[in-house]
């Protein structure tokens, strides 16, 4: 708007008037281009973010896998709350709901190679927690081995 | 007309029966597959009656079974965990010797719970005294408070624990009455392993249970009953 008013002070001749109009339209075109570029960049960011949400930037052995509680994205965010709630229910009240017990998680997610969720760098619990730099002490007491495999090994 | 009604009735009866037979095992299996979803209640009080007359001198089967079930090393050094141990007592003037297993007595008023600063040591509604190792800070006050010396402290890091029995360094532990087995409807490992059936396990609160009936008829004692802790473990022939 300032530009327009500056020009209008000297815009007595028709030529000067035309020149002014051309400058203004050039400015508008540039601003439009900038907007287009910004929209494109934002869309690109959104797409790459959603792509990243579906894949992991590290190698992960999910064992048998499958989904029995909630979808993977929800579980990534909330599994610790489920486990903590369940541990108090089990220890203090003897409620042994299999579905969200640590043992049941391990039963499906332990590696098919070594029956463990903690044995290797790409094991189910280790890979993610190492990437996120979250130190857990669950497995100082709890077994990280699939129970069926542990029973087989200790049957003798 | 009447005949038609009778036919219809019998058809409905048979189809209901068939449906019940088809659905019932599914429901039962569902219960088995999904574990116990109900909280334990104070209507049950688990206890044991140990017949010292039957307990053979030198037999260690209950201790071995406990060690195997709970993943204990079985070592006897001061830093090894012992959840149950065999002791020999002798009345010196009379010369009568008795052999008996000693472990957490699962008191009704447990001193270990009284002294615990974090609430880790607790009594479950069904009378089992446990340590919540998520809360235990390893201060060992409970070990000092226990008149039965029933608790142990885990000094060394452990590996390859039984998935049903989590144990770890820096926490106190003791006999859990095999709580993981009880919740599955099984007997504690020591009671199952005793060759002379000297350990009778059951619900003290149910007047029709074998243990409650036996306690009513034979003389049994609680160790250090003078402390008024009302232990759930009773001994016969002491």
């Amino acid at each position: 708007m300032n530009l327009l008013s500056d020009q209008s002070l000297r815009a007595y001749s028709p030529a000067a008037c035309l020149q002014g109009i051309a400058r203004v339209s050039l400015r508008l075109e540039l601003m439009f281009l900038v907007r287009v570029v910004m929209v494109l960049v934002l869309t690109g960011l959104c797409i790459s973010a959603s792509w990243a949400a579906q894949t992991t930037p590290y190698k992960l052995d999910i064992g048998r896998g499958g989904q029995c509680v909630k979808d993977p994205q929800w579980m990534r965010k909330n599994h610790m709350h489920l486990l903590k709630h369940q541990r108090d229910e089990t220890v203090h009240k003897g409620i042994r709901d299999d579905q969200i017990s640590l043992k049941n998680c391990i039963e499906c997610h332990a590696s098919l190679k070594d029956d463990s969720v903690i044995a290797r760098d790409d094991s189910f619990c280790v890979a993610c927690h190492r990437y996120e730099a979250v130190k857990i002490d669950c497995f100082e007491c709890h077994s990280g081995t699939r129970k069926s495999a542990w029973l087989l090994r200790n049957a003798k | 007309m009447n005949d038609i009604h009778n036919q219809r009735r019998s058809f409905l009866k048979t189809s209901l029966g068939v449906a019940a037979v088809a659905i019932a095992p599914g429901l039962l299996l569902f219960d088995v597959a999904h574990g116990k979803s109900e909280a334990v209640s104070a209507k049950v009080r688990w206890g044991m009656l140990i017949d010292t007359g039957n307990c053979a001198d030198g037999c260690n089967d209950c201790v071995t079974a406990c060690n195997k079930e709970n993943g204990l090393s079985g070592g006897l050094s001061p830093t090894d965990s012992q959840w149950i141990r065999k002791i020999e007592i002798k009345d010196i003037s009379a010369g009568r010797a008795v052999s008996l297993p000693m472990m957490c007595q699962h008191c009704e008023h447990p001193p270990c719970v009284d002294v615990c600063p974090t609430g880790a040591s607790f009594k479950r509604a069904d009378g089992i005294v446990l340590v919540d190792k998520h809360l235990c800070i390893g201060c060992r006050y409970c070990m000092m408070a226990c008149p039965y010396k029933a608790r142990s402290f885990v000094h060394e890091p452990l590996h390859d624990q039984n998935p049903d029995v989590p144990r770890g360094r820096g926490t106190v532990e003791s006999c859990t009455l095999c709580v993981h087995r009880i919740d599955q409807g099984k007997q504690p490992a020591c009671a199952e392993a005793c060759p002379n059936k000297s350990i009778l396990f059951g619900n003290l609160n149910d007047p029709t249970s074998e243990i409650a009936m036996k306690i009513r008829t034979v003389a049994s004692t609680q160790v250090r009953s003078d402390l008024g802790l009302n232990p759930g473990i009773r001994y016969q022939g002491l």
Side-chain angles (χ1 to χ4, degrees):
Chain A
M1 283 308 283
N2 278 339
L3 214 145
L4 250 181
S5 53
D6 283 345
Q7 293 297 319
S8 61
L9 283 177
R10 292 183 283 117
Y12 293 115
S13 69
C17 209
L18 274 175
Q19 215 178 2
I21 290 169
R23 269 191 202 162
V24 170
S25 64
L26 186 71
R27 277 286 159 110
L28 284 174
E29 211 163 283
L30 268 175
M31 281 172 76
F32 175 73
L33 267 177
V34 166
R35 274 183 199 157
V36 166
V37 168
M38 277 174 71
V39 166
L40 279 177
V41 166
L42 276 176
T43 331
L45 275 178
C46 286
I47 291 172
S48 60
S50 66
W51 176 79
Q54 280 153 19
T55 56
T56 45
Y58 43 84
K59 236 179 94 201
L60 183 63
D61 183 351
I62 63 163
R64 203 183 299 152
Q67 176 186 325
C68 63
V69 184
K70 293 250 186 180
D71 59 277
Q73 193 52 45
W74 192 94
M75 288 305 287
R76 267 177 212 141
K77 204 174 158 190
N78 296 299
H79 65 280
M80 65 297 280
H81 304 303
L82 288 184
L83 286 171
K84 198 171 177 191
H85 176 74
Q86 182 63 25
R87 88 170 197 206
D88 293 339
E89 296 283 298
T90 305
V91 175
H92 289 266
K93 299 185 197 157
I95 297 173
R96 292 177 189 266
D97 188 340
D98 276 352
Q99 200 191 21
I100 44 176
S101 76
L102 182 63
K103 254 188 297 179
N104 200 38
C105 299
I106 294 169
E107 195 65 34
C108 291
H109 282 299
S111 165
L112 296 172
K113 288 177 223 156
D114 53 18
D115 297 309
S116 172
V117 290
I118 49 167
R120 298 188 321 267
D121 281 355
D122 66 341
S123 293
F124 189 68
C125 295
V126 175
C128 212
H129 278 274
R130 187 161 291 172
Y131 179 77
E132 298 286 355
V134 178
K135 192 180 171 224
I136 50 168
D137 57 3
C138 308
F139 299 105
E140 280 174 33
C141 292
H142 287 277
S143 166
T145 310
R146 180 179 283 132
K147 189 184 166 187
S148 45
W150 188 91
L151 285 176
L152 267 181
R153 181 148 45 81
N154 289 277
K156 311 150 229 154
Chain B
M1 193 66 184
N2 215 357
D3 195 38
I4 290 173
H5 270 279
N6 279 342
Q7 269 184 3
R8 184 189 273 172
R9 255 177 218 170
S10 67
F11 170 74
L12 283 173
K13 270 183 204 160
T14 15
S15 47
L16 269 180
V18 167
V21 167
I23 290 168
L27 287 178
L28 286 175
L29 283 177
F30 183 83
D31 264 8
V32 171
H34 284 262
K36 223 160 60 73
S37 54
E38 245 175 63
V40 291
S41 86
K43 283 179 199 150
V44 178
R45 170 137 200 245
W46 297 118
M48 279 178 175
L49 177 63
I50 295 165
D51 185 354
T52 55
N54 262 340
C55 183
D57 187 16
C59 169
N60 221 21
D61 287 2
C62 50
V63 181
T64 321
C66 175
N67 292 344
K68 186 169 185 292
E69 179 67 35
N70 298 300
L72 309 179
S73 68
L76 296 174
S77 86
T79 51
D80 282 320
S81 278
Q82 281 180 289
W83 289 15
I84 181 172
R85 53 174 81 93
K86 276 296 292 289
I87 56 172
E88 318 285 328
I89 50 171
K90 192 170 184 183
D91 181 344
I92 295 169
S93 54
R96 177 175 175 255
V98 179
S99 171
L100 58 92
M102 178 53 73
M103 67 288 220
C104 171
Q105 303 286 299
H106 298 279
C107 309
E108 187 189 350
H109 309 293
C112 53
V113 175
D114 286 345
V115 299
C116 180
T118 65
S121 199
F122 71 101
K123 188 176 66 132
R124 223 167 72 146
D126 57 1
I128 305 176
V129 178
L130 295 170
V131 181
D132 183 346
K133 287 158 194 170
H134 304 110
L135 304 177
C136 179
I137 55 170
C139 73
R140 290 166 263 180
Y141 281 159
C142 55
M143 289 174 66
M144 284 182 260
C146 178
Y148 305 102
K149 278 197 170 185
R151 289 202 161 172
S152 305
F153 180 73
V154 185
H155 290 259
E156 306 289 338
L158 299 171
H159 307 283
D160 201 31
Q161 292 92 329
N162 180 347
D164 283 325
V165 188
R167 302 174 55 226
R169 178 173 62 158
T171 59
V172 172
E173 57 183 18
S174 64
C175 159
T176 62
L177 220 51
C178 281
V179 67
H180 58 288
R181 291 170 61 95
I182 293 178
D183 286 348
Q184 291 170 37
K186 291 194 219 160
Q187 298 240 326
C190 56
E192 205 172 84
C194 181
N196 303 327
K197 302 274 166 270
S198 310
I199 304 180
L200 176 60
F201 167 80
N203 178 6
L204 297 168
N205 279 356
D206 173 12
T208 59
S209 69
E210 198 186 341
I211 184 169
M213 289 197 285
K214 198 158 177 195
I215 280 173
R216 273 203 302 275
T217 49
V218 300
S220 61
T221 42
Q222 296 166 319
V223 176
R224 289 303 305 270
S225 56
D226 56 314
L227 297 172
L229 307 174
N230 189 15
I233 314 288
R234 303 182 79 101
Y235 291 87
Q236 185 188 340
L238 260 195

